Amino acid sequence: MLDDRQTAAPWPTAYPQGYAVVDVETTGLARDDRIISAAVYRLDALGNVEDHWYTLVNPERDPGPVWIHGLTSDVLEGAPLFPEVAEELSARLADRVLVAHNAAFDWSMIAREYARASVVAPVEQRLCTIALAKELRLPLPNHKLASLAAHFGVVQQQAHHALDDARVLAEAFRPSLHAAARGGVRLPLLECRPLTEWSDSPVTPRVGYQPSRQPNSWRPSRKRPACPYPNPGRYEKEKPLQQGMRVAFSGDTSIDRELLEDRAIEAGLHVATSVSRLTSLLVTNDPDAATSKTQKAKSFGTPILEESAFTHLLRDVAPAGGAVLPQQATPSSE
C-alpha cells in the first residue's frame, strides 16, 4: 500500500504547488448573504497539511439558519468584520489553488465579501472536490461532503462547522489528489475572476434563495455579443459541450447567475432566456421543480444538467464544427 506522501508514478509537473482548502458558513445562499465563519487548511503540493486557520465573522445582520451552523447573534456580536480579517485570509489564499466542496459557492461568497471591502481577492484558480470526485469516478452514493469523507474513512466530528468541514475536506482531498496523480488525471481547475465593485441591494434575502437578477447589483446591465457559432444540437451524455450550444438556466444557482452566464458565453455557448426545441440543455439544481423551463425541457426531451456538472464541463468545451458567424451586439434580457 502506498504511503500518503508518495505515488507509484512521478508527480505531475503541471499540478499546482500549493492548495488552500476552504470552507465558509454563511447567513444564507443569496447574493446579499454574508460570511459568518471561515476556515483555511494550507496544503503543500502533495496535499500534506502545513497549517490551518479559523475565524468568526460579524455579518452585521441576522445570522440566518442558526439551526444549521449554530452561530447565534450573541456569538457573532464581538467577532471581527470581514475587512478586519481580509488581510489574514489573503495571506493564506495567496499563490494557492482554492479547494472547496462545491467551490463555485465558496468562491462566490468570498469574492463578494472582498468586493464589499474594496479589496481584490488573491485567488486565480479554484478546484471543486465534487468535480474531482466525478473525474476520478469515485463510487459515491451522492456528492455530499459526508459521502466523500466516508469513502476515504475520514471521521466528520461537527458538520457545518467551518473548521471541521475544512479539516474533513483536506483529509479527503489528499488521497483524491494522489489518485489523480497515479491515474494521470488532469485536475479540474477553473479560473477565478474577482469582483471589482459592489453595491448592496435593499432586498431582504431568504435562506435558500438565489435571485438571478437584482437592481443595484455589483455590475450594470450591458449588451452581450451574439453567439458567433452555429447550434450543433443537443448535449449528449458523457460527451463534452460544444461551442454554439444553446443553454438555459432555471432556479437557484450557488454561483451568481450573471457570472455563470458570463462563463458560458466566454466558452462559446449561447445563453437562452427560454427553453425551446432548439435548446441544447437546461441547467438546474432542482429538475423536479414545476417551473415552465423544466416542464418544457421534459416535454421536448431536452437534456437537464445540475450546476456542478455544467461548470465541470465548462472547463473543456469542444470547438465549433461549423463556420463562425460575425458577432453582433444584442441586449441581454431576462
Side-chain angles (χ1 to χ4, degrees), residues 222-227 328-333:
R222 62 263 151 91
K223 291 184 177 181
R224 283 178 170 148
C227 181
Q328 298 178 359
T330 57
S332 173
S333 59

Side-chain angles (χ1 to χ4, degrees), residues 251-309:
D252 298 353
T253 52
S254 60
I255 189 172
D256 182 274
R257 177 68 70 84
E258 285 190 352
L259 295 180
L260 191 59
E261 291 180 353
D262 281 352
R263 286 195 48 221
I265 290 171
E266 290 164 3
L269 305 178
H270 174 98
V271 173
T273 58
S274 61
V275 174
S276 71
R277 296 183 186 278
L278 297 178
T279 304
S280 303
L281 73 154
L282 174 68
V283 178
T284 178
N285 288 323
D286 189 4
D288 296 322
T291 66
S292 60
K293 288 181 180 179
T294 55
Q295 290 177 339
K296 285 184 179 179
K298 290 177 181 179
S299 67
F300 295 147
T302 304
I304 298 176
L305 284 178
E306 63 177 18
E307 179 188 355
S308 60

Side-chain angles (χ1 to χ4, degrees), residues 181-195:
R182 288 194 298 271
V185 174
R186 185 177 67 173
L187 298 180
L189 301 175
L190 291 176
E191 178 186 8
C192 288
R193 294 191 172 189
L195 307 187

Side-chain angles (χ1 to χ4, degrees), residues 53-166:
W53 172 80
Y54 171 76
T55 185
L56 296 175
V57 181
N58 186 343
E60 300 182 280
R61 52 154 290 176
D62 184 276
V66 175
W67 61 92
I68 294 178
H69 52 63
L71 299 176
T72 64
S73 295
D74 290 341
V75 171
L76 297 170
E77 184 178 1
L81 303 178
F82 186 84
E84 297 172 327
V85 302
E87 183 177 355
E88 179 68 19
L89 178 58
S90 294
R92 295 178 177 279
L93 298 178
D95 302 319
R96 295 172 184 266
V97 170
L98 185 150
V99 177
H101 203 66
N102 191 7
F105 172 75
D106 293 81
W107 163 243
S108 65
M109 295 301 298
I110 290 171
R112 291 171 194 155
E113 289 288 6
Y114 270 97
R116 288 186 185 96
S118 299
V119 180
V120 177
V123 180
E124 296 183 358
Q125 290 182 307
R126 67 177 183 270
L127 187 157
C128 179
T129 47
I130 295 176
L132 181 58
K134 291 181 178 180
E135 194 75 22
L136 295 173
R137 300 183 183 277
L138 300 181
L140 305 178
N142 53 54
H143 293 290
K144 295 180 179 180
L145 177 58
S147 297
L148 182 66
H151 177 77
F152 288 111
V154 179
V155 178
Q156 192 167 27
Q157 298 173 349
Q158 192 174 355
H160 301 298
H161 186 288
L163 183 59
D164 195 57
D165 281 352

Side-chain angles (χ1 to χ4, degrees), residues 227-236 239-247 268-270 277-281 317-323:
C227 181
Y229 310 109
N231 185 355
R234 290 181 171 175
Y235 166 74
E236 296 181 38
K239 291 187 178 181
L241 297 172
Q242 187 173 349
Q243 289 179 327
M245 283 186 170
R246 296 176 65 92
V247 181
L269 305 178
H270 174 98
R277 296 183 186 278
L278 297 178
T279 304
S280 303
L281 73 154
V317 177

Side-chain angles (χ1 to χ4, degrees), residues 25-50:
E25 295 301 318
T26 66
T27 60
L29 307 179
R31 174 195 298 252
D32 290 332
D33 277 300
R34 306 297 300 271
I35 289 176
I36 55 176
S37 66
V40 181
Y41 267 73
R42 289 195 291 190
L43 312 182
D44 65 16
L46 297 180
N48 300 308
V49 175
E50 295 178 328

